[in-house]
Every structure is written in C-alpha cells, then in structure tokens.
PDB file of all heavy atoms in Angstrom:
ATOM      1  N   GLU A   1      55.334 -83.000 -23.172  1.00  0.00           N
ATOM      2  CA  GLU A   1      54.991 -84.134 -24.032  1.00  0.00           C
ATOM      3  C   GLU A   1      53.476 -84.284 -24.129  1.00  0.00           C
ATOM      4  O   GLU A   1      52.946 -84.582 -25.205  1.00  0.00           O
ATOM      5  CB  GLU A   1      55.618 -85.415 -23.493  1.00  0.00           C
ATOM      6  CG  GLU A   1      57.119 -85.468 -23.670  1.00  0.00           C
ATOM      7  CD  GLU A   1      57.763 -86.658 -22.963  1.00  0.00           C
ATOM      8  OE1 GLU A   1      57.050 -87.426 -22.283  1.00  0.00           O
ATOM      9  OE2 GLU A   1      58.990 -86.810 -23.089  1.00  0.00           O
ATOM     10  N   GLN A   2      52.770 -84.049 -23.032  1.00  0.00           N
ATOM     11  CA  GLN A   2      51.305 -84.126 -23.029  1.00  0.00           C
ATOM     12  C   GLN A   2      50.713 -83.020 -23.903  1.00  0.00           C
ATOM     13  O   GLN A   2      49.740 -83.234 -24.628  1.00  0.00           O
ATOM     14  CB  GLN A   2      50.766 -84.022 -21.595  1.00  0.00           C
ATOM     15  CG  GLN A   2      49.248 -84.016 -21.518  1.00  0.00           C
ATOM     16  CD  GLN A   2      48.612 -85.252 -22.109  1.00  0.00           C
ATOM     17  OE1 GLN A   2      49.080 -86.360 -21.873  1.00  0.00           O
ATOM     18  NE2 GLN A   2      47.554 -85.085 -22.875  1.00  0.00           N
ATOM     19  N   ILE A   3      51.315 -81.846 -23.848  1.00  0.00           N
ATOM     20  CA  ILE A   3      50.843 -80.729 -24.672  1.00  0.00           C
ATOM     21  C   ILE A   3      51.008 -81.062 -26.158  1.00  0.00           C
ATOM     22  O   ILE A   3      50.085 -80.861 -26.957  1.00  0.00           O
ATOM     23  CB  ILE A   3      51.594 -79.433 -24.306  1.00  0.00           C
ATOM     24  CG1 ILE A   3      51.150 -78.967 -22.909  1.00  0.00           C
ATOM     25  CG2 ILE A   3      51.374 -78.344 -25.346  1.00  0.00           C
ATOM     26  CD1 ILE A   3      51.986 -77.857 -22.322  1.00  0.00           C
ATOM     27  N   VAL A   4      52.160 -81.593 -26.530  1.00  0.00           N
ATOM     28  CA  VAL A   4      52.397 -81.976 -27.933  1.00  0.00           C
ATOM     29  C   VAL A   4      51.426 -83.076 -28.344  1.00  0.00           C
ATOM     30  O   VAL A   4      50.884 -83.052 -29.458  1.00  0.00           O
ATOM     31  CB  VAL A   4      53.865 -82.407 -28.147  1.00  0.00           C
ATOM     32  CG1 VAL A   4      54.072 -82.992 -29.528  1.00  0.00           C
ATOM     33  CG2 VAL A   4      54.801 -81.220 -27.920  1.00  0.00           C
ATOM     34  N   GLU A   5      51.153 -84.019 -27.448  1.00  0.00           N
ATOM     35  CA  GLU A   5      50.201 -85.089 -27.758  1.00  0.00           C
ATOM     36  C   GLU A   5      48.798 -84.522 -27.960  1.00  0.00           C
ATOM     37  O   GLU A   5      48.072 -84.945 -28.858  1.00  0.00           O
ATOM     38  CB  GLU A   5      50.195 -86.145 -26.648  1.00  0.00           C
ATOM     39  CG  GLU A   5      49.305 -87.329 -26.932  1.00  0.00           C
ATOM     40  CD  GLU A   5      49.670 -88.085 -28.204  1.00  0.00           C
ATOM     41  OE1 GLU A   5      50.862 -88.135 -28.581  1.00  0.00           O
ATOM     42  OE2 GLU A   5      48.748 -88.636 -28.846  1.00  0.00           O
ATOM     43  N   SER A   6      48.408 -83.545 -27.145  1.00  0.00           N
ATOM     44  CA  SER A   6      47.109 -82.886 -27.325  1.00  0.00           C
ATOM     45  C   SER A   6      47.027 -82.247 -28.705  1.00  0.00           C
ATOM     46  O   SER A   6      45.997 -82.329 -29.374  1.00  0.00           O
ATOM     47  CB  SER A   6      46.888 -81.825 -26.240  1.00  0.00           C
ATOM     48  OG  SER A   6      46.719 -82.417 -24.983  1.00  0.00           O
ATOM     49  N   LEU A   7      48.124 -81.617 -29.127  1.00  0.00           N
ATOM     50  CA  LEU A   7      48.149 -81.000 -30.457  1.00  0.00           C
ATOM     51  C   LEU A   7      48.016 -82.047 -31.547  1.00  0.00           C
ATOM     52  O   LEU A   7      47.288 -81.839 -32.526  1.00  0.00           O
ATOM     53  CB  LEU A   7      49.441 -80.206 -30.646  1.00  0.00           C
ATOM     54  CG  LEU A   7      49.544 -78.916 -29.847  1.00  0.00           C
ATOM     55  CD1 LEU A   7      50.941 -78.336 -29.957  1.00  0.00           C
ATOM     56  CD2 LEU A   7      48.505 -77.917 -30.322  1.00  0.00           C
ATOM     57  N   ARG A   8      48.710 -83.156 -31.399  1.00  0.00           N
ATOM     58  CA  ARG A   8      48.636 -84.219 -32.413  1.00  0.00           C
ATOM     59  C   ARG A   8      47.237 -84.800 -32.521  1.00  0.00           C
ATOM     60  O   ARG A   8      46.859 -85.319 -33.562  1.00  0.00           O
ATOM     61  CB  ARG A   8      49.652 -85.308 -32.090  1.00  0.00           C
ATOM     62  CG  ARG A   8      51.068 -84.857 -32.368  1.00  0.00           C
ATOM     63  CD  ARG A   8      52.073 -85.974 -32.270  1.00  0.00           C
ATOM     64  NE  ARG A   8      53.364 -85.490 -32.714  1.00  0.00           N
ATOM     65  CZ  ARG A   8      54.483 -85.593 -32.007  1.00  0.00           C
ATOM     66  NH1 ARG A   8      54.470 -86.208 -30.846  1.00  0.00           N
ATOM     67  NH2 ARG A   8      55.607 -85.118 -32.478  1.00  0.00           N
ATOM     68  N   GLN A   9      46.467 -84.715 -31.441  1.00  0.00           N
ATOM     69  CA  GLN A   9      45.088 -85.201 -31.452  1.00  0.00           C
ATOM     70  C   GLN A   9      44.115 -84.120 -31.924  1.00  0.00           C
ATOM     71  O   GLN A   9      42.918 -84.345 -31.979  1.00  0.00           O
ATOM     72  CB  GLN A   9      44.691 -85.686 -30.058  1.00  0.00           C
ATOM     73  CG  GLN A   9      45.452 -86.914 -29.617  1.00  0.00           C
ATOM     74  CD  GLN A   9      45.140 -87.315 -28.191  1.00  0.00           C
ATOM     75  OE1 GLN A   9      44.328 -86.694 -27.509  1.00  0.00           O
ATOM     76  NE2 GLN A   9      45.772 -88.370 -27.727  1.00  0.00           N
ATOM     77  N   GLY A  10      44.647 -82.948 -32.271  1.00  0.00           N
ATOM     78  CA  GLY A  10      43.812 -81.875 -32.785  1.00  0.00           C
ATOM     79  C   GLY A  10      43.196 -80.998 -31.708  1.00  0.00           C
ATOM     80  O   GLY A  10      42.302 -80.208 -31.992  1.00  0.00           O
ATOM     81  N   ASN A  11      43.679 -81.099 -30.467  1.00  0.00           N
ATOM     82  CA  ASN A  11      43.114 -80.334 -29.349  1.00  0.00           C
ATOM     83  C   ASN A  11      43.953 -79.098 -29.054  1.00  0.00           C
ATOM     84  O   ASN A  11      44.619 -79.005 -28.022  1.00  0.00           O
ATOM     85  CB  ASN A  11      43.013 -81.218 -28.101  1.00  0.00           C
ATOM     86  CG  ASN A  11      42.104 -82.392 -28.304  1.00  0.00           C
ATOM     87  OD1 ASN A  11      41.096 -82.293 -28.980  1.00  0.00           O
ATOM     88  ND2 ASN A  11      42.466 -83.521 -27.725  1.00  0.00           N
ATOM     89  N   LYS A  12      43.904 -78.143 -29.948  1.00  0.00           N
ATOM     90  CA  LYS A  12      44.725 -76.938 -29.814  1.00  0.00           C
ATOM     91  C   LYS A  12      44.329 -76.121 -28.584  1.00  0.00           C
ATOM     92  O   LYS A  12      45.197 -75.650 -27.844  1.00  0.00           O
ATOM     93  CB  LYS A  12      44.598 -76.088 -31.078  1.00  0.00           C
ATOM     94  CG  LYS A  12      45.479 -74.878 -31.102  1.00  0.00           C
ATOM     95  CD  LYS A  12      45.339 -74.172 -32.446  1.00  0.00           C
ATOM     96  CE  LYS A  12      46.141 -72.913 -32.505  1.00  0.00           C
ATOM     97  NZ  LYS A  12      45.987 -72.234 -33.805  1.00  0.00           N
ATOM     98  N   ILE A  13      43.044 -75.975 -28.346  1.00  0.00           N
ATOM     99  CA  ILE A  13      42.586 -75.196 -27.196  1.00  0.00           C
ATOM    100  C   ILE A  13      43.026 -75.848 -25.893  1.00  0.00           C
ATOM    101  O   ILE A  13      43.493 -75.174 -24.969  1.00  0.00           O
ATOM    102  CB  ILE A  13      41.057 -74.995 -27.246  1.00  0.00           C
ATOM    103  CG1 ILE A  13      40.701 -74.109 -28.438  1.00  0.00           C
ATOM    104  CG2 ILE A  13      40.539 -74.386 -25.952  1.00  0.00           C
ATOM    105  CD1 ILE A  13      39.235 -73.976 -28.711  1.00  0.00           C
ATOM    106  N   GLU A  14      42.907 -77.163 -25.818  1.00  0.00           N
ATOM    107  CA  GLU A  14      43.352 -77.889 -24.624  1.00  0.00           C
ATOM    108  C   GLU A  14      44.856 -77.711 -24.424  1.00  0.00           C
ATOM    109  O   GLU A  14      45.320 -77.528 -23.299  1.00  0.00           O
ATOM    110  CB  GLU A  14      43.008 -79.375 -24.742  1.00  0.00           C
ATOM    111  CG  GLU A  14      43.325 -80.178 -23.513  1.00  0.00           C
ATOM    112  CD  GLU A  14      42.539 -79.762 -22.290  1.00  0.00           C
ATOM    113  OE1 GLU A  14      41.404 -79.271 -22.403  1.00  0.00           O
ATOM    114  OE2 GLU A  14      43.095 -79.911 -21.182  1.00  0.00           O
ATOM    115  N   ALA A  15      45.619 -77.733 -25.500  1.00  0.00           N
ATOM    116  CA  ALA A  15      47.067 -77.546 -25.416  1.00  0.00           C
ATOM    117  C   ALA A  15      47.408 -76.155 -24.881  1.00  0.00           C
ATOM    118  O   ALA A  15      48.316 -76.005 -24.067  1.00  0.00           O
ATOM    119  CB  ALA A  15      47.707 -77.774 -26.780  1.00  0.00           C
ATOM    120  N   ILE A  16      46.669 -75.148 -25.321  1.00  0.00           N
ATOM    121  CA  ILE A  16      46.888 -73.781 -24.831  1.00  0.00           C
ATOM    122  C   ILE A  16      46.591 -73.712 -23.337  1.00  0.00           C
ATOM    123  O   ILE A  16      47.362 -73.122 -22.565  1.00  0.00           O
ATOM    124  CB  ILE A  16      46.038 -72.768 -25.618  1.00  0.00           C
ATOM    125  CG1 ILE A  16      46.532 -72.679 -27.072  1.00  0.00           C
ATOM    126  CG2 ILE A  16      46.073 -71.392 -24.952  1.00  0.00           C
ATOM    127  CD1 ILE A  16      45.638 -71.884 -27.994  1.00  0.00           C
ATOM    128  N   LYS A  17      45.493 -74.327 -22.905  1.00  0.00           N
ATOM    129  CA  LYS A  17      45.153 -74.347 -21.476  1.00  0.00           C
ATOM    130  C   LYS A  17      46.252 -75.029 -20.665  1.00  0.00           C
ATOM    131  O   LYS A  17      46.667 -74.526 -19.620  1.00  0.00           O
ATOM    132  CB  LYS A  17      43.832 -75.086 -21.246  1.00  0.00           C
ATOM    133  CG  LYS A  17      42.618 -74.336 -21.713  1.00  0.00           C
ATOM    134  CD  LYS A  17      41.377 -75.178 -21.455  1.00  0.00           C
ATOM    135  CE  LYS A  17      40.133 -74.558 -22.012  1.00  0.00           C
ATOM    136  NZ  LYS A  17      38.949 -75.412 -21.805  1.00  0.00           N
ATOM    137  N   GLU A  18      46.715 -76.178 -21.151  1.00  0.00           N
ATOM    138  CA  GLU A  18      47.765 -76.918 -20.451  1.00  0.00           C
ATOM    139  C   GLU A  18      49.048 -76.093 -20.377  1.00  0.00           C
ATOM    140  O   GLU A  18      49.716 -76.069 -19.342  1.00  0.00           O
ATOM    141  CB  GLU A  18      48.033 -78.251 -21.148  1.00  0.00           C
ATOM    142  CG  GLU A  18      46.887 -79.233 -21.026  1.00  0.00           C
ATOM    143  CD  GLU A  18      47.070 -80.467 -21.905  1.00  0.00           C
ATOM    144  OE1 GLU A  18      48.064 -80.548 -22.654  1.00  0.00           O
ATOM    145  OE2 GLU A  18      46.210 -81.359 -21.830  1.00  0.00           O
ATOM    146  N   TYR A  19      49.389 -75.412 -21.455  1.00  0.00           N
ATOM    147  CA  TYR A  19      50.594 -74.588 -21.482  1.00  0.00           C
ATOM    148  C   TYR A  19      50.486 -73.442 -20.479  1.00  0.00           C
ATOM    149  O   TYR A  19      51.439 -73.135 -19.763  1.00  0.00           O
ATOM    150  CB  TYR A  19      50.843 -74.049 -22.893  1.00  0.00           C
ATOM    151  CG  TYR A  19      52.165 -73.343 -23.022  1.00  0.00           C
ATOM    152  CD1 TYR A  19      53.317 -74.047 -23.327  1.00  0.00           C
ATOM    153  CD2 TYR A  19      52.270 -71.963 -22.824  1.00  0.00           C
ATOM    154  CE1 TYR A  19      54.553 -73.412 -23.432  1.00  0.00           C
ATOM    155  CE2 TYR A  19      53.481 -71.313 -22.915  1.00  0.00           C
ATOM    156  CZ  TYR A  19      54.618 -72.039 -23.212  1.00  0.00           C
ATOM    157  OH  TYR A  19      55.831 -71.396 -23.298  1.00  0.00           O
ATOM    158  N   ARG A  20      49.315 -72.817 -20.415  1.00  0.00           N
ATOM    159  CA  ARG A  20      49.109 -71.717 -19.472  1.00  0.00           C
ATOM    160  C   ARG A  20      49.267 -72.187 -18.038  1.00  0.00           C
ATOM    161  O   ARG A  20      49.880 -71.505 -17.216  1.00  0.00           O
ATOM    162  CB  ARG A  20      47.720 -71.101 -19.659  1.00  0.00           C
ATOM    163  CG  ARG A  20      47.597 -70.306 -20.946  1.00  0.00           C
ATOM    164  CD  ARG A  20      46.281 -69.601 -21.034  1.00  0.00           C
ATOM    165  NE  ARG A  20      46.311 -68.462 -20.110  1.00  0.00           N
ATOM    166  CZ  ARG A  20      45.271 -67.698 -19.833  1.00  0.00           C
ATOM    167  NH1 ARG A  20      44.105 -67.957 -20.367  1.00  0.00           N
ATOM    168  NH2 ARG A  20      45.385 -66.687 -19.006  1.00  0.00           N
ATOM    169  N   GLU A  21      48.702 -73.368 -17.739  1.00  0.00           N
ATOM    170  CA  GLU A  21      48.820 -73.913 -16.390  1.00  0.00           C
ATOM    171  C   GLU A  21      50.274 -74.243 -16.056  1.00  0.00           C
ATOM    172  O   GLU A  21      50.727 -74.008 -14.942  1.00  0.00           O
ATOM    173  CB  GLU A  21      47.963 -75.172 -16.243  1.00  0.00           C
ATOM    174  CG  GLU A  21      46.482 -74.892 -16.244  1.00  0.00           C
ATOM    175  CD  GLU A  21      45.637 -76.151 -16.249  1.00  0.00           C
ATOM    176  OE1 GLU A  21      46.187 -77.263 -16.106  1.00  0.00           O
ATOM    177  OE2 GLU A  21      44.417 -76.029 -16.414  1.00  0.00           O
ATOM    178  N   LEU A  22      50.994 -74.779 -17.022  1.00  0.00           N
ATOM    179  CA  LEU A  22      52.375 -75.188 -16.801  1.00  0.00           C
ATOM    180  C   LEU A  22      53.295 -73.991 -16.586  1.00  0.00           C
ATOM    181  O   LEU A  22      54.129 -73.995 -15.687  1.00  0.00           O
ATOM    182  CB  LEU A  22      52.873 -76.018 -17.996  1.00  0.00           C
ATOM    183  CG  LEU A  22      54.330 -76.461 -17.953  1.00  0.00           C
ATOM    184  CD1 LEU A  22      54.550 -77.434 -16.794  1.00  0.00           C
ATOM    185  CD2 LEU A  22      54.716 -77.109 -19.267  1.00  0.00           C
ATOM    186  N   THR A  23      53.131 -72.963 -17.410  1.00  0.00           N
ATOM    187  CA  THR A  23      54.078 -71.850 -17.408  1.00  0.00           C
ATOM    188  C   THR A  23      53.595 -70.608 -16.665  1.00  0.00           C
ATOM    189  O   THR A  23      54.410 -69.762 -16.308  1.00  0.00           O
ATOM    190  CB  THR A  23      54.408 -71.431 -18.849  1.00  0.00           C
ATOM    191  OG1 THR A  23      53.217 -70.938 -19.477  1.00  0.00           O
ATOM    192  CG2 THR A  23      54.985 -72.592 -19.644  1.00  0.00           C
ATOM    193  N   GLY A  24      52.284 -70.488 -16.494  1.00  0.00           N
ATOM    194  CA  GLY A  24      51.751 -69.269 -15.890  1.00  0.00           C
ATOM    195  C   GLY A  24      51.703 -68.115 -16.879  1.00  0.00           C
ATOM    196  O   GLY A  24      51.482 -66.971 -16.504  1.00  0.00           O
ATOM    197  N   SER A  25      51.904 -68.392 -18.159  1.00  0.00           N
ATOM    198  CA  SER A  25      51.879 -67.363 -19.206  1.00  0.00           C
ATOM    199  C   SER A  25      50.460 -66.899 -19.469  1.00  0.00           C
ATOM    200  O   SER A  25      49.495 -67.598 -19.176  1.00  0.00           O
ATOM    201  CB  SER A  25      52.467 -67.921 -20.506  1.00  0.00           C
ATOM    202  OG  SER A  25      53.806 -68.288 -20.334  1.00  0.00           O
ATOM    203  N   GLY A  26      50.353 -65.739 -20.090  1.00  0.00           N
ATOM    204  CA  GLY A  26      49.065 -65.212 -20.484  1.00  0.00           C
ATOM    205  C   GLY A  26      48.546 -65.923 -21.727  1.00  0.00           C
ATOM    206  O   GLY A  26      49.241 -66.749 -22.334  1.00  0.00           O
ATOM    207  N   LEU A  27      47.326 -65.598 -22.110  1.00  0.00           N
ATOM    208  CA  LEU A  27      46.687 -66.240 -23.251  1.00  0.00           C
ATOM    209  C   LEU A  27      47.455 -65.994 -24.547  1.00  0.00           C
ATOM    210  O   LEU A  27      47.719 -66.922 -25.314  1.00  0.00           O
ATOM    211  CB  LEU A  27      45.240 -65.759 -23.386  1.00  0.00           C
ATOM    212  CG  LEU A  27      44.432 -66.343 -24.525  1.00  0.00           C
ATOM    213  CD1 LEU A  27      44.351 -67.862 -24.398  1.00  0.00           C
ATOM    214  CD2 LEU A  27      43.038 -65.748 -24.556  1.00  0.00           C
ATOM    215  N   LYS A  28      47.835 -64.741 -24.798  1.00  0.00           N
ATOM    216  CA  LYS A  28      48.532 -64.413 -26.046  1.00  0.00           C
ATOM    217  C   LYS A  28      49.868 -65.147 -26.143  1.00  0.00           C
ATOM    218  O   LYS A  28      50.185 -65.742 -27.180  1.00  0.00           O
ATOM    219  CB  LYS A  28      48.763 -62.909 -26.137  1.00  0.00           C
ATOM    220  CG  LYS A  28      49.460 -62.482 -27.407  1.00  0.00           C
ATOM    221  CD  LYS A  28      49.690 -60.997 -27.458  1.00  0.00           C
ATOM    222  CE  LYS A  28      50.428 -60.647 -28.742  1.00  0.00           C
ATOM    223  NZ  LYS A  28      50.850 -59.264 -28.775  1.00  0.00           N
ATOM    224  N   GLU A  29      50.647 -65.116 -25.061  1.00  0.00           N
ATOM    225  CA  GLU A  29      51.950 -65.774 -25.059  1.00  0.00           C
ATOM    226  C   GLU A  29      51.793 -67.282 -25.229  1.00  0.00           C
ATOM    227  O   GLU A  29      52.565 -67.928 -25.941  1.00  0.00           O
ATOM    228  CB  GLU A  29      52.709 -65.476 -23.766  1.00  0.00           C
ATOM    229  CG  GLU A  29      53.106 -64.014 -23.610  1.00  0.00           C
ATOM    230  CD  GLU A  29      51.993 -63.135 -23.079  1.00  0.00           C
ATOM    231  OE1 GLU A  29      50.943 -63.661 -22.638  1.00  0.00           O
ATOM    232  OE2 GLU A  29      52.157 -61.902 -23.130  1.00  0.00           O
ATOM    233  N   SER A  30      50.786 -67.847 -24.582  1.00  0.00           N
ATOM    234  CA  SER A  30      50.551 -69.290 -24.673  1.00  0.00           C
ATOM    235  C   SER A  30      50.152 -69.689 -26.089  1.00  0.00           C
ATOM    236  O   SER A  30      50.633 -70.686 -26.621  1.00  0.00           O
ATOM    237  CB  SER A  30      49.470 -69.716 -23.674  1.00  0.00           C
ATOM    238  OG  SER A  30      49.907 -69.464 -22.362  1.00  0.00           O
ATOM    239  N   LYS A  31      49.265 -68.896 -26.702  1.00  0.00           N
ATOM    240  CA  LYS A  31      48.835 -69.182 -28.070  1.00  0.00           C
ATOM    241  C   LYS A  31      50.028 -69.127 -29.026  1.00  0.00           C
ATOM    242  O   LYS A  31      50.189 -69.999 -29.883  1.00  0.00           O
ATOM    243  CB  LYS A  31      47.764 -68.199 -28.515  1.00  0.00           C
ATOM    244  CG  LYS A  31      47.207 -68.479 -29.899  1.00  0.00           C
ATOM    245  CD  LYS A  31      46.138 -67.460 -30.265  1.00  0.00           C
ATOM    246  CE  LYS A  31      45.583 -67.710 -31.637  1.00  0.00           C
ATOM    247  NZ  LYS A  31      46.538 -67.493 -32.726  1.00  0.00           N
ATOM    248  N   GLU A  32      50.887 -68.126 -28.851  1.00  0.00           N
ATOM    249  CA  GLU A  32      52.067 -68.008 -29.707  1.00  0.00           C
ATOM    250  C   GLU A  32      53.023 -69.182 -29.500  1.00  0.00           C
ATOM    251  O   GLU A  32      53.601 -69.700 -30.465  1.00  0.00           O
ATOM    252  CB  GLU A  32      52.775 -66.680 -29.438  1.00  0.00           C
ATOM    253  CG  GLU A  32      51.980 -65.481 -29.920  1.00  0.00           C
ATOM    254  CD  GLU A  32      52.552 -64.146 -29.464  1.00  0.00           C
ATOM    255  OE1 GLU A  32      53.503 -64.135 -28.631  1.00  0.00           O
ATOM    256  OE2 GLU A  32      52.055 -63.106 -29.916  1.00  0.00           O
ATOM    257  N   ALA A  33      53.182 -69.615 -28.257  1.00  0.00           N
ATOM    258  CA  ALA A  33      54.064 -70.742 -27.963  1.00  0.00           C
ATOM    259  C   ALA A  33      53.516 -72.027 -28.590  1.00  0.00           C
ATOM    260  O   ALA A  33      54.279 -72.834 -29.138  1.00  0.00           O
ATOM    261  CB  ALA A  33      54.222 -70.908 -26.456  1.00  0.00           C
ATOM    262  N   ILE A  34      52.197 -72.208 -28.525  1.00  0.00           N
ATOM    263  CA  ILE A  34      51.571 -73.393 -29.112  1.00  0.00           C
ATOM    264  C   ILE A  34      51.713 -73.358 -30.630  1.00  0.00           C
ATOM    265  O   ILE A  34      52.009 -74.375 -31.260  1.00  0.00           O
ATOM    266  CB  ILE A  34      50.097 -73.516 -28.676  1.00  0.00           C
ATOM    267  CG1 ILE A  34      50.018 -73.791 -27.167  1.00  0.00           C
ATOM    268  CG2 ILE A  34      49.367 -74.568 -29.486  1.00  0.00           C
ATOM    269  CD1 ILE A  34      50.710 -75.059 -26.703  1.00  0.00           C
ATOM    270  N   GLU A  35      51.545 -72.184 -31.223  1.00  0.00           N
ATOM    271  CA  GLU A  35      51.743 -72.050 -32.671  1.00  0.00           C
ATOM    272  C   GLU A  35      53.174 -72.428 -33.046  1.00  0.00           C
ATOM    273  O   GLU A  35      53.411 -73.091 -34.067  1.00  0.00           O
ATOM    274  CB  GLU A  35      51.436 -70.624 -33.134  1.00  0.00           C
ATOM    275  CG  GLU A  35      49.985 -70.220 -33.038  1.00  0.00           C
ATOM    276  CD  GLU A  35      49.085 -70.948 -34.024  1.00  0.00           C
ATOM    277  OE1 GLU A  35      49.581 -71.435 -35.059  1.00  0.00           O
ATOM    278  OE2 GLU A  35      47.881 -71.033 -33.757  1.00  0.00           O
ATOM    279  N   ALA A  36      54.137 -72.023 -32.222  1.00  0.00           N
ATOM    280  CA  ALA A  36      55.537 -72.367 -32.478  1.00  0.00           C
ATOM    281  C   ALA A  36      55.763 -73.877 -32.374  1.00  0.00           C
ATOM    282  O   ALA A  36      56.497 -74.457 -33.172  1.00  0.00           O
ATOM    283  CB  ALA A  36      56.444 -71.621 -31.498  1.00  0.00           C
ATOM    284  N   LEU A  37      55.108 -74.524 -31.395  1.00  0.00           N
ATOM    285  CA  LEU A  37      55.225 -75.979 -31.266  1.00  0.00           C
ATOM    286  C   LEU A  37      54.625 -76.690 -32.472  1.00  0.00           C
ATOM    287  O   LEU A  37      55.170 -77.681 -32.949  1.00  0.00           O
ATOM    288  CB  LEU A  37      54.527 -76.464 -29.988  1.00  0.00           C
ATOM    289  CG  LEU A  37      55.247 -76.207 -28.676  1.00  0.00           C
ATOM    290  CD1 LEU A  37      54.375 -76.623 -27.495  1.00  0.00           C
ATOM    291  CD2 LEU A  37      56.578 -76.945 -28.631  1.00  0.00           C
ATOM    292  N   ILE A  38      53.508 -76.173 -32.969  1.00  0.00           N
ATOM    293  CA  ILE A  38      52.861 -76.754 -34.145  1.00  0.00           C
ATOM    294  C   ILE A  38      53.822 -76.710 -35.338  1.00  0.00           C
ATOM    295  O   ILE A  38      53.971 -77.687 -36.065  1.00  0.00           O
ATOM    296  CB  ILE A  38      51.538 -76.029 -34.468  1.00  0.00           C
ATOM    297  CG1 ILE A  38      50.494 -76.347 -33.397  1.00  0.00           C
ATOM    298  CG2 ILE A  38      51.026 -76.386 -35.862  1.00  0.00           C
ATOM    299  CD1 ILE A  38      49.244 -75.491 -33.460  1.00  0.00           C
ATOM    300  N   GLN A  39      54.495 -75.583 -35.507  1.00  0.00           N
ATOM    301  CA  GLN A  39      55.452 -75.460 -36.609  1.00  0.00           C
ATOM    302  C   GLN A  39      56.689 -76.314 -36.365  1.00  0.00           C
ATOM    303  O   GLN A  39      57.181 -76.972 -37.287  1.00  0.00           O
ATOM    304  CB  GLN A  39      55.845 -74.002 -36.796  1.00  0.00           C
ATOM    305  CG  GLN A  39      54.724 -73.167 -37.360  1.00  0.00           C
ATOM    306  CD  GLN A  39      55.120 -71.721 -37.567  1.00  0.00           C
ATOM    307  OE1 GLN A  39      56.231 -71.308 -37.243  1.00  0.00           O
ATOM    308  NE2 GLN A  39      54.209 -70.936 -38.113  1.00  0.00           N
ATOM    309  N   LYS A  40      57.202 -76.313 -35.136  1.00  0.00           N
ATOM    310  CA  LYS A  40      58.417 -77.061 -34.819  1.00  0.00           C
ATOM    311  C   LYS A  40      58.243 -78.551 -35.085  1.00  0.00           C
ATOM    312  O   LYS A  40      59.107 -79.201 -35.662  1.00  0.00           O
ATOM    313  CB  LYS A  40      58.786 -76.846 -33.352  1.00  0.00           C
ATOM    314  CG  LYS A  40      60.013 -77.615 -32.908  1.00  0.00           C
ATOM    315  CD  LYS A  40      60.323 -77.362 -31.450  1.00  0.00           C
ATOM    316  CE  LYS A  40      61.526 -78.178 -31.011  1.00  0.00           C
ATOM    317  NZ  LYS A  40      61.859 -77.946 -29.607  1.00  0.00           N
ATOM    318  N   TYR A  41      57.113 -79.100 -34.645  1.00  0.00           N
ATOM    319  CA  TYR A  41      56.866 -80.535 -34.811  1.00  0.00           C
ATOM    320  C   TYR A  41      56.072 -80.853 -36.070  1.00  0.00           C
ATOM    321  O   TYR A  41      55.697 -81.997 -36.290  1.00  0.00           O
ATOM    322  CB  TYR A  41      56.150 -81.080 -33.569  1.00  0.00           C
ATOM    323  CG  TYR A  41      57.034 -81.064 -32.350  1.00  0.00           C
ATOM    324  CD1 TYR A  41      56.856 -80.112 -31.357  1.00  0.00           C
ATOM    325  CD2 TYR A  41      58.048 -81.996 -32.190  1.00  0.00           C
ATOM    326  CE1 TYR A  41      57.671 -80.090 -30.232  1.00  0.00           C
ATOM    327  CE2 TYR A  41      58.865 -81.980 -31.074  1.00  0.00           C
ATOM    328  CZ  TYR A  41      58.673 -81.022 -30.094  1.00  0.00           C
ATOM    329  OH  TYR A  41      59.481 -80.999 -28.994  1.00  0.00           O
TER     330      TYR A  41
END
C-alpha cells in the first residue's frame, strides 16, 4: 500500500526502492513490477 501511495505521489524511483527492499528482487524485476502496478491501478 505504501508503494502504491508513493506511485500516486509521483515517486516512481522511491517505489522501486521500496519494492526491492520488500521483495529482494533485482532492479530490472522491480522496475517491471512497478510498471505493472502503474498500469493495474
């Protein structure tokens, strides 16, 4: 929910960082996941 809120505030880079910390994913996977969240919501 915090990641989605960061996106709604226009903080895409912060959302990617938060996603990486949460999941342990790499940069590419995190960026793709954030892009998917942007489209989903």
